[in-house]
Amino acid sequence: MKWYAVASLLTLLTSSQGILTTLSQRPDGGGYNYDYATIPFLAELFKLIVSGIFLWREFNNQSSPHHPPRITTEWKTVRLYPIPSIIYLFHNNIQFATLTYVDASTYQIMGNLKIVTTALLFRLFLKRKLSTLQWMAIVLLAVGTTTSQVKGCGAASCDSLFSSPIQGYMLGILSACLSALAGVYTEFLMKKNNDTLYWQNVQLYTFGAIFNMGRLFLDDFRGGFENGPWWNRLFNGYTVTTWLVVLNLGSTGLLVSWLMKYADNIVKVYSTSMAMLLTMVLSVFLFTFKPTLQLVLGIIICIMSLHMYFAPPSSLVDLPMAVKAEPQSIEVSVDRRTDS
């Protein structure tokens, strides 16, 4: 499968994630009838089961039985796979801490910093070179997504973006760096060796499920086990829409791991950024969201950025036509002498 087909599918699934989550809320918009912390846990289980099935099929459907899928079981390699889950655990906690200092709009805009931080870590740790045009395209993408999220100065003050405490901005920058680090490190793991993708997924999602299960235990402990252990209420309040949220989140994770293995983090960044814009457009038709001039301008800027990054340089710069040089005749004098 081509990377751009996977990236397009990732954009569609990511954009529908927010819409499905909104539809899974109570009709009065007053929250959820289910425990939202169970969604990531079940999504990790879904990814683990799907990856395990595909790994089993790879072993049993090999055209050449003498060359089975490659797997590495050495502890020095396996011990690297919990690290992305640990990074995401810190990232999720810092997200909540950031929201105690800044409002939701400021936080959403600051989240676009991960576009630039991903590119920087992509260059520093993975040693991938980006051209000047590609760096400009990445900056444009950050500007475009930010522009689409900026609101007018009607109800809120235009200075609200810069009125938060310094701690909020520092935590926002740290959150963006951790998000980028988790993505870049995952790509490093995926491309570290020639192990089959499904075995790498099994390792990632096993630790992911363990860490999410630990979060559920921690929530029970904090609540004094007032509602009983988490497994007794795992599916409480679940509807068809809720299960679609789980399947959507799990499928999105599988597509991201494929991109980490066969493409790179920048492709993922563009997919998720375009998904955010697509979500805003779809919200115009599905909900009471009203399109703004900033949204239209942001979409235009992001499309320009997409073209700048992936288009061949020859299509971006008008190069002068090469003049075909006419062949020149060279006279060679040959001194013929006759030996006497």
Side-chain angles (χ1 to χ4, degrees):
M1 188 182 293
K2 300 295 185 181
W3 67 263
Y4 48 80
V6 176
S8 300
L9 184 56
L10 176 61
T11 299
L12 291 174
L13 289 180
T14 306
S15 62
S16 60
Q17 182 68 40
I19 295 173
L20 288 172
T21 303
T22 302
L23 292 175
S24 69
Q25 293 178 347
R26 298 192 188 101
D28 58 358
Y32 305 95
N33 289 322
Y34 57 89
D35 184 358
Y36 189 73
T38 61
I39 297 290
F41 171 69
L42 290 175
E44 292 295 319
L45 279 183
F46 170 75
K47 292 185 287 186
L48 179 59
I49 292 171
V50 171
S51 299
I53 291 173
F54 276 102
L55 180 63
W56 177 80
R57 289 187 61 186
E58 263 196 338
F59 270 100
N60 288 275
N61 298 334
Q62 275 291 305
S63 58
S64 177
H66 300 290
H67 299 283
R70 177 175 174 178
I71 63 172
T72 301
T73 56
E74 297 177 359
W75 171 242
K76 66 178 182 181
T77 299
V78 175
R79 68 184 179 183
L80 301 176
Y81 283 84
I83 295 178
S85 298
I86 296 173
I87 296 174
Y88 278 122
L89 181 64
F90 280 105
H91 172 257
N92 293 336
N93 287 308
I94 289 174
Q95 278 184 313
F96 286 104
T98 305
L99 286 168
T100 62
Y101 293 99
V102 303
D103 56 73
S105 298
T106 303
Y107 173 78
Q108 194 174 21
I109 291 173
M110 290 180 62
N112 295 319
L113 286 173
K114 66 183 178 183
I115 297 173
V116 179
T117 54
T118 297
L120 290 172
L121 294 179
F122 183 77
R123 175 68 182 90
L124 292 174
F125 291 104
L126 298 182
K127 307 299 182 184
R128 305 289 180 81
K129 292 185 178 180
L130 299 175
S131 67
T132 303
L133 281 174
Q134 288 177 323
W135 278 112
M136 292 172 63
I138 290 171
V139 173
L140 268 182
L141 180 64
V143 171
T145 51
T146 302
T147 301
S148 66
Q149 296 167 345
V150 172
K151 297 180 180 179
C153 300
S157 171
C158 291
D159 298 329
S160 61
L161 179 62
F162 305 101
S163 59
S164 301
I166 187 64
Q167 296 94 322
Y169 301 113
M170 297 302 294
L171 287 172
I173 293 172
L174 180 59
S175 175
C177 291
L178 287 176
S179 176
L181 179 61
V184 170
Y185 185 83
T186 302
E187 182 179 347
F188 163 76
L189 281 182
M190 290 295 186
K191 295 176 177 175
K192 184 175 182 293
N193 53 39
N194 293 324
D195 283 2
T196 174
L197 170 65
Y198 304 119
W199 168 240
Q200 293 175 319
N201 281 348
V202 165
Q203 296 173 88
L204 278 175
Y205 303 142
T206 297
F207 289 111
I210 291 172
F211 278 100
N212 278 280
M213 188 187 303
R215 180 195 169 182
L216 291 172
F217 274 114
L218 183 60
D219 289 344
D220 285 343
F221 181 77
R222 287 175 176 174
F225 292 90
E226 182 179 353
N227 299 319
W230 60 269
W231 57 84
N232 285 345
R233 62 180 192 279
L234 182 60
F235 305 120
N236 288 353
Y238 269 54
T239 63
V240 174
T241 307
T242 313
W243 281 110
L244 288 177
V245 173
V246 173
L247 294 177
N248 185 293
L249 186 61
S251 301
T252 299
L254 291 171
L255 292 176
V256 168
S257 68
W258 192 97
L259 288 178
M260 294 297 98
K261 181 74 170 180
Y262 301 111
D264 56 49
N265 262 281
I266 305 299
V267 175
K268 188 201 77 171
V269 164
Y270 270 95
S271 296
T272 52
S273 298
M274 294 301 172
M276 181 195 66
L277 296 176
L278 182 58
T279 301
M280 298 173 74
V281 172
L282 292 176
S283 298
V284 174
F285 300 98
L286 297 176
F287 307 110
T288 57
F289 181 79
K290 295 182 179 180
T292 62
L293 176 61
Q294 293 92 327
L295 173 59
V296 176
L297 292 176
I299 291 174
I300 293 174
I301 294 173
C302 288
I303 292 175
M304 292 172 60
S305 168
L306 183 68
H307 179 67
M308 280 183 64
Y309 189 90
F310 292 103
S314 58
S315 66
L316 300 173
V317 181
D318 292 330
L319 299 175
M321 295 292 292
V323 180
K324 188 176 180 180
E326 295 182 359
Q328 297 180 355
S329 58
I330 302 176
E331 295 183 0
V332 180
S333 60
V334 180
D335 186 12
R336 295 185 179 181
R337 295 183 180 180
T338 305
D339 294 334
S340 56

